[in-house]
């Protein structure tokens, strides 16, 4: 709708001005977020980007052809006109391309494949990267340095720019269990991650309050597991609005999310949270719980005592069958298996769980209780299964308790200690400490009149100041910190407008710490640069929080 309006207004402006040239506005490289590591301004006349500018990709590079088309559409939402995309004619080289063109070139070099070089001269803009993702990020940088004004030509000073990401894993998470957002909103979320040069969507797709991924082998997950009878009202845990709430992504839709994200160089990592946070599955298949139920899909938030029965052999078949379907939909190297917040109350009193523990010879010691060891037995089986299938498990930091396979990755959420411990033990880790990176927390101290959020505080400034590499690690251990992620839990987030408000502009600070080393940071300068990005948010119709703390 907004895109149509912009195009219409650009068309009108051409009509009214009687085909006169559009006014020229200046680009500003300092507006780029994340800031490139090198910006060198050259002398000379600027490049003028206008409706006649052609976007060239190299013949036979179908991936970059698609990148060109996506960029052309992105620019249309900003400037109101689309650029023509064409293969570079054979008589030209990327270095000597036709005038008034942007040339996209993948050229092998030692640089990181997601890094880019952008060269601006009076004649052309050349975006060069050693991998196709780098070309995409170079173009996202250009979007951000161009004015957020429809119907203008843009002058760009001659320059050379270079950037490469500090971390290979740059994620944002989205919980669609507590509240579910439509397919188009998930795509819009991916668009927002792409604008901020992230490369992972961690998709939290099952939990106590709703199973949201169609399963062919377990139809009751779809029929029962995806529907709850109601939802608690605001923060009142004894309440229920009694309005049935449901939502599920078909496998075809999930594949569409994977495809859409991949075109934007974003990997979708699904999370099937186990053995806790499984009450929706228990409602569908009560025999998988210790008590046998009956269970309801949960209508309140928190940590449920009802979890998969570790002593029941059927749960291992269930989990591996579910993972088979998941691996078929999601081609990613990593699969998130949750592992967080699994109370041991039921296992403690369950004859089956106790029998298995005895059979395995599990004993309580300083490392943990019998039941804690049972969870680690469960995790190792699942983790091992994924490994056999060529995938790698990611789990919340709880899975560190009791031992995991060598290649499993820890996602540190209860502060930074889990990530640090993981690295000290030789495991890879992703940092997403709740105290810094919980995007469902408030970003303002004063919460009156703000959308209801989870009761915590993660302001923009704290994210910007955060260094994801914990202190006290050797260089080798530091290299095990794969990256950093912001988490969007949706207990109190009922609609996609609120998702956007919670994400933006914190995604901008997150992008900076994902791309830039700590010594490149300057918060005051960042805030000035952010003003332009907020204009772009506005131009794209994104909702964002305008109070900065
Ligand atoms: C803890 S973070 C959870 C989630 C909640 C979140 C609320 C984590 C691994 N588990 O189930 O939604 O807190 O912020």
């Amino acid at each position: 709708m907004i895109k149509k309006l912009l195009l219409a207004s650009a068309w009108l402006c051409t009509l009214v001005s009687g085909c006169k040239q559009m006014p020229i506005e200046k680009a500003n490289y300092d507006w780029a977020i994340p800031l490139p590591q090198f910006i060198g301004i050259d002398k000379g006349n600027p490049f003028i980007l206008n409706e006649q500018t052609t976007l060239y990709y190299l013949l036979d590079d179908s991936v970059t052809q698609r990148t060109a088309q996506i960029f052309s559409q992105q620019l249309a939402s900003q400037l109101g006109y689309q650029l023509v995309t064409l293969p570079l004619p054979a008589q030209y080289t990327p270095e000597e391309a036709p005038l008034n063109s942007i040339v996209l070139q993948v050229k092998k070099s030692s640089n990181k494949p997601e890094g880019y070089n952008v060269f601006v001269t009076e004649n052309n803009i050349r975006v060069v990267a050693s991998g196709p993702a780098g070309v995409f990020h170079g173009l996202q940088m250009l979007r951000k340095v161009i004015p957020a004004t429809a119907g203008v030509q843009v002058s760009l000073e001659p320059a050379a720019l270079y950037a490469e990401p500090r971390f290979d894993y740059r994620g944002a998470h989205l919980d669609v269990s507590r509240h579910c957002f439509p397919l188009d909103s998930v795509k819009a979320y991916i668009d927002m991650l792409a604008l901020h040069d992230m490369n992972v969507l961690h998709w939290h797709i099952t939990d106590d309050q709703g199973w949201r991924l169609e399963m062919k082998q377990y139809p009751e997950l779809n029929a029962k597991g995806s529907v709850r009878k109601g939802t608690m009202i605001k923060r009142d845990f004894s309440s229920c609005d009694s309005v049935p709430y449901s939502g599920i992504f078909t496998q075809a839709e999930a594949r569409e999310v994977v495809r859409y994200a991949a075109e934007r160089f974003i990997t979708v990592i699904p999370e099937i949270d186990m053995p806790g946070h499984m009450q929706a599955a228990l409602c569908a298949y009560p025999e998988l719980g210790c008590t046998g139920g009956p269970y309801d899909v949960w209508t309140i938030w928190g940590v449920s005592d009802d979890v998969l029965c570790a002593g029941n052999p059927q749960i291992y078949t269930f989990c591996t069958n579910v993972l088979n379907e998941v691996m078929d939909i999601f081609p990613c190297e990593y699969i998130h298996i949750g592992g967080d917040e699994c109370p041991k109350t039921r296992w403690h009193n369950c004859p089956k769980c106790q029998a298995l523990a005895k059979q395995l010879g599990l004993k309580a010691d300083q490392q943990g209780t019998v039941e804690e060891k049972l969870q680690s037995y469960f995790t190792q089986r699942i983790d091992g299964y994924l490994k056999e299938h060529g995938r790698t498990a990611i789990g919340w930091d709880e899975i560190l308790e009791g031992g995991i396979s060598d290649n499993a990755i820890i996602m540190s959420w209860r502060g930074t200690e889990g990530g640090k411990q993981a690295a000290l033990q030789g495991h890879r880790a992703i940092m997403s400490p709740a105290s810094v990176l919980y995007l469902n927390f408030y970003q303002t101290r004063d919460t009156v009149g703000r959308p209801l959020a989870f009761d915590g505080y993660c302001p923009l400034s704290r994210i910007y100041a955060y260094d994801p590499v914990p202190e006290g690690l050797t260089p080798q251990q530091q290299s095990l910190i794969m990256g950093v992620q912001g988490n969007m839990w949706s207990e109190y987030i009922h609609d996609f407008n609120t998702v956007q408000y919670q994400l933006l502009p914190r995604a901008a600070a997150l992008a900076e710490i994902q791309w830039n080393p700590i010594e490149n940071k300057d918060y005051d300068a960042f805030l000035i640069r952010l003003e332009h990005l907020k204009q772009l948010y506005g131009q794209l119709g994104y909702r964002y929080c305008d109070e900065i703390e």
Side-chain angles (χ1 to χ4, degrees):
M1 178 64 193
I2 286 169
K3 219 184 270 176
K4 276 196 191 136
L5 269 177
L6 284 174
L7 285 172
S9 69
W11 174 78
L12 252 178
C13 133
T14 322
L15 202 74
V16 171
S17 59
C19 294
K20 255 198 278 152
Q21 288 220 318
M22 292 176 180
I24 298 183
E25 282 193 16
K26 277 191 182 157
N28 182 345
Y29 300 120
D30 282 339
W31 288 336
I33 290 178
L35 192 64
Q37 280 102 43
F38 178 80
I39 304 179
I41 307 287
D42 296 327
K43 292 208 170 65
N45 294 326
F47 176 82
I48 306 294
L49 172 75
N50 55 29
E51 281 175 295
Q52 282 77 45
T53 305
T54 308
L55 200 49
Y56 289 112
Y57 49 89
L58 303 191
L59 196 67
D60 296 334
D61 185 349
S62 58
V63 175
T64 306
Q65 175 180 5
R66 210 180 44 217
T67 299
Q69 288 158 351
I70 291 173
F71 176 65
S72 176
Q73 286 157 12
Q74 289 173 334
L75 221 52
S77 329
Q78 188 169 345
L79 296 176
Y81 52 85
Q82 222 165 337
L83 303 187
V84 171
T85 60
L86 287 173
L88 185 67
Q91 67 269 34
Y92 294 101
T93 63
E95 292 77 14
E96 309 250 338
L99 295 183
N100 197 7
S101 65
I102 302 177
V103 186
L104 312 182
Q105 183 187 14
V106 177
K107 188 174 153 193
K108 288 274 161 282
S109 76
S110 59
N111 295 336
K112 285 195 178 186
E114 292 183 295
Y116 60 80
N117 280 291
V118 173
F119 303 104
V120 182
T121 68
E122 182 179 3
N123 298 339
N124 312 94
I125 297 180
R126 195 154 60 93
V127 180
V128 194
S130 62
V135 171
F136 185 83
H137 294 299
L139 292 171
Q140 299 313 298
M141 182 277 290
L142 282 177
R143 279 174 86 186
K144 287 175 274 194
V145 303
I146 285 173
T149 320
V152 297
Q153 308 183 68
V154 181
S155 82
L156 295 106
E157 283 177 284
L161 301 100
Y162 173 75
E164 65 173 36
R166 178 179 180 197
F167 294 105
D168 293 338
Y169 182 110
R170 305 183 305 279
H173 146 295
L174 183 64
D175 171 6
V176 292
S177 171
R178 279 59 179 268
H179 286 99
C180 191
F181 311 105
L183 178 62
D184 278 351
S185 300
V186 177
K187 287 186 177 175
Y189 194 73
I190 290 168
D191 287 340
M192 291 170 198
L193 304 195
L195 176 66
H196 295 87
D197 300 280
M198 297 189 199
N199 65 0
V200 174
L201 167 65
H202 167 176
W203 203 11
H204 187 83
I205 201 161
T206 67
D207 213 305
D208 296 315
Q209 296 82 2
W211 184 282
R212 311 243 176 264
L213 179 63
E214 179 198 11
M215 286 287 122
K216 305 278 188 204
Q217 297 167 89
Y218 296 100
E220 297 292 313
L221 288 175
N222 318 333
K224 291 187 183 153
S226 72
V227 188
R228 63 174 180 256
K229 291 178 181 154
T231 304
M232 62 180 267
I233 300 164
K234 295 195 174 156
R235 296 189 192 287
D236 180 358
F237 284 77
S238 63
S239 68
C240 180
D241 64 9
S242 300
V243 180
Y245 189 92
S246 62
I248 192 144
F249 291 89
T250 63
Q251 295 202 353
E253 287 171 331
R255 287 180 205 277
E256 169 67 5
V257 170
V258 171
R259 185 200 61 76
Y260 188 85
E263 286 186 345
R264 287 149 185 83
F265 299 93
I266 292 174
T267 303
V268 183
I269 299 183
E271 179 185 353
I272 307 293
D273 205 342
M274 58 180 81
H277 287 281
M278 269 282 178
Q279 200 173 305
L282 294 184
C283 168
Y285 296 96
E287 65 275 19
L288 301 178
C290 294
T291 66
Y295 306 98
D296 272 336
V297 178
W298 227 16
T299 59
I300 60 169
W301 319 131
V303 179
S304 169
D305 277 339
D306 287 304
V307 302
L308 294 178
C309 171
N312 179 350
Q314 278 181 288
I315 71 155
Y316 299 93
T317 318
F318 171 81
C319 289
T320 51
N321 282 341
V322 164
L323 288 173
N324 288 343
E325 292 194 36
V326 166
M327 286 189 281
D328 192 47
I329 301 167
F330 299 92
C332 49
E333 185 180 350
Y334 308 122
I335 305 281
H336 204 304
I337 56 167
D340 59 316
E341 299 176 326
C342 180
K344 308 296 186 292
T345 332
R346 296 286 183 262
W347 292 1
H348 189 69
N349 299 315
C350 169
K352 282 192 219 153
C353 290
Q354 293 305 319
L356 177 63
K358 203 167 163 200
Q359 189 194 323
L360 296 169
L362 304 179
K363 299 223 160 49
D365 56 25
Q366 312 110 300
Q367 278 172 351
T369 63
V370 167
E371 290 77 21
E372 279 163 357
K373 295 198 169 173
L374 205 49
Q375 179 168 356
S376 118
Y377 165 79
F378 169 89
T379 306
Q380 289 189 38
R381 262 183 83 164
I382 299 299
D383 164 28
Y385 185 79
L386 289 175
K387 200 174 170 183
E388 273 168 37
H389 289 77
R391 309 295 181 101
T392 300
I394 305 180
W396 298 109
D397 53 59
E398 282 95 332
I399 72 163
L400 204 55
E401 297 155 6
I404 45 170
S405 77
D406 299 344
N407 66 337
I409 298 164
I410 297 300
M411 191 169 266
S412 193
W413 75 278
R414 296 175 302 175
T416 55
E417 198 49 33
K420 183 172 177 181
Q421 283 308 321
L424 287 171
Q425 294 176 30
H427 291 287
R428 287 177 291 170
I430 298 158
M431 306 306 288
S432 60
S435 52
V436 184
L437 279 163
Y438 267 32
L439 303 173
N440 54 324
F441 288 8
Y442 286 101
Q443 49 202 320
T444 54
R445 257 193 211 288
D446 182 5
T447 60
V448 181
R450 306 284 177 342
L452 188 69
F454 205 93
D455 198 14
Y457 177 57
C458 287
L460 185 80
S461 53
R462 193 184 291 172
I463 298 177
Y464 189 85
Y466 176 59
D467 182 357
V469 177
E471 281 177 9
L473 297 180
T474 64
Q476 157 64 17
Q477 289 160 346
Q478 289 177 14
S479 72
L480 295 171
I481 306 295
M482 291 166 68
V484 50
Q485 169 176 299
N487 292 342
M488 185 75 76
W489 300 101
S490 62
E491 288 98 329
Y492 297 98
I493 304 181
H494 292 241
D495 54 56
F496 191 62
N497 260 340
T498 315
V499 171
Q500 297 177 49
Y501 175 87
Q502 293 292 114
L503 179 70
L504 306 174
R506 286 189 287 198
L510 178 54
E512 283 291 357
I513 63 173
Q514 290 172 330
W515 275 74
N516 274 314
I518 194 103
E519 58 273 14
N520 285 12
K521 288 198 274 183
D522 175 342
Y523 189 58
D524 293 332
F526 168 75
L527 289 184
I528 296 170
R529 295 188 286 122
L530 189 61
E531 285 308 307
H532 177 67
L533 187 58
K534 288 197 299 195
Q535 281 181 25
L536 183 55
Y537 293 159
Q539 177 82 325
L540 298 172
Y542 296 168
R543 188 165 173 229
Y544 61 92
C545 172
D546 208 9
E547 286 107 350
I548 302 294
E549 290 180 9

